Amino acid sequence: FGLRGLQVLLFCGGVLYVLSYAIIPFSDGDPAYYAIVGRGLLRDHALPYQYAFDHKPLGAYLFYGVWDRIVPFYPGKFTLLAGFLIGVFVALGRTFGSFSRITAFALFSVCGALFDVLSGNTELVVVTGQAVCLAALLRGIETDASALFFLAGWVAAFTVSINYLAAVCLVGPVALILLSPGWFRLSRCMLAGLGVLAGFGVLFAPYGFAGHGALQAYFSMQFEFLRHYGVAASERIPGGLRMVFYGVLMAPVLVAGVRRFPPGLRQEATRRTLILPVWFLSSFPATLLSGHAFDHYFTLWFAPVVLMLAILWKEGARPSTLSLMPLLGLSLVCVG
């Protein structure tokens, strides 16, 4: 059998894993709902929620409506979206450190089976948007290109309009990049802020043309639904336990990542190394703000962990195989 046979077996297993998603219209109902509302938005010019209702913000319907136009067939369309987004996320992740794209893509896809990443849900769109935003900020600092700060703000606005939790996830890493000693410039903060305002302005311009209190009605419905969507404190216990469980699985990666820190926050190498752990820490509480513990919510903080693990793998500093066995073993069970 040997190593060659094991490689063939793993490859065949990976193909079957992807096909199990690709041969059905959708594995999670949420992306299908967003595409339906998006059709009303792009085809019939019906603003949410005149065509159909789901509680996500405007950006989710716009994004999935565009994807629905690009990929009109249904079987596998969201799996194709997931593969595309993972590829973009991995490519942008190279801004934060050097690693093998193939390794990172495989880790995200396989270990992401824990969080149903191939369903193509909004969390995957959000982490990709966050990667665009943070990569633009970091490249803006490196090249002193003002346009990148404006772009980062615009992308952040669109990402938040897909899922409000993106705002919580971005607080830590954006503050680290824009406010760190040596990187802070008031002009950069202002440009990013202008980008945010411009992004929201473009997104909600159709409501201004619609008039008749359309924008007020939109936010009123958002507020009412989200207020009732949250659960009581006693119902948050299962989600909290699940978060602790997944946190323990990821702990070896985080510990190994902390060991990479060069001393002194004023050193640029340290600030760059801190971006991914701070991104994780900022995303960790966002997962449970609603009190629901759906698996795909955990993609928000799983994404920066994948980049950390890929970087550690490249540097030969990855955690021991034994410490990673619970994560990899459970991931393979979920793949199966």
Side-chain angles (χ1 to χ4, degrees), residues 35-309:
I36 289 170
V37 181
R39 285 179 182 176
L41 183 64
L42 297 179
R43 184 186 65 192
D44 302 324
H45 308 114
L47 293 172
Y49 303 94
Q50 301 170 11
Y51 183 81
F53 180 81
D54 190 78
H55 70 282
K56 277 290 188 293
L58 172 65
Y61 310 124
L62 182 59
F63 181 88
Y64 282 89
V66 170
W67 183 254
D68 186 57
R69 285 289 185 90
I70 296 172
V71 184
F73 58 84
Y74 249 98
K77 72 185 301 175
F78 298 117
T79 306
L80 183 62
L81 173 63
F84 171 73
L85 291 173
I86 293 172
V88 172
F89 176 82
V90 167
L92 291 167
R94 290 287 293 269
T95 309
F96 311 111
S98 177
F99 57 82
S100 165
R101 293 184 179 92
I102 295 175
T103 299
F105 191 94
L107 287 170
F108 206 139
S109 302
V110 174
C111 297
L114 285 164
F115 311 114
D116 201 22
V117 295
L118 293 187
S119 67
N121 221 313
T122 53
E123 284 73 20
L124 193 54
V125 185
V126 165
V127 296
T128 305
Q130 291 171 358
V132 174
C133 175
L134 297 176
L137 289 175
L138 198 54
R139 289 293 296 164
I141 287 173
E142 291 173 346
T143 62
D144 201 25
S146 300
L148 289 176
F149 295 98
F150 183 86
L151 173 65
W154 196 96
V155 172
F158 186 79
T159 305
V160 170
S161 76
I162 292 174
N163 191 322
Y164 295 132
L165 293 178
V168 180
C169 299
L170 284 171
V171 166
V174 167
L176 175 66
I177 294 174
L178 288 180
L179 304 180
S180 290
W183 283 355
F184 171 74
R185 299 286 188 280
L186 182 59
S187 59
R188 293 171 177 175
C189 299
M190 292 179 66
L191 281 169
L194 285 173
V196 171
L197 294 176
F200 282 127
V202 171
L203 276 168
F204 292 111
Y207 284 94
F209 291 112
H212 305 292
L215 187 60
Q216 181 182 355
Y218 165 80
F219 281 112
S220 176
M221 284 188 283
Q222 283 278 290
F223 175 77
E224 287 300 322
F225 188 91
L226 292 174
R227 186 166 63 89
H228 289 92
Y229 185 69
V231 300
S234 59
E235 298 177 81
R236 295 176 180 267
I237 295 175
L241 293 175
R242 182 173 291 188
M243 186 168 72
V244 171
F245 174 71
Y246 287 140
V248 170
L249 290 181
M250 307 296 167
V253 181
L254 299 171
V255 171
V258 168
R259 290 174 180 167
R260 295 175 61 241
F261 294 166
L265 184 59
R266 289 187 176 274
Q267 293 188 21
E268 184 173 335
T270 302
R271 294 196 295 270
R272 181 185 290 272
T273 306
L274 275 171
I275 291 173
L276 293 176
V278 169
W279 185 0
F280 165 81
L281 291 174
S282 193
S283 304
F284 200 74
T287 307
L288 282 182
L289 283 182
S290 70
H292 296 280
F294 300 122
D295 285 331
H296 55 85
Y297 284 8
F298 296 94
T299 306
L300 294 174
W301 54 261
F302 170 68
V305 171
V306 168
L307 295 182
M308 278 190 275
L309 181 55

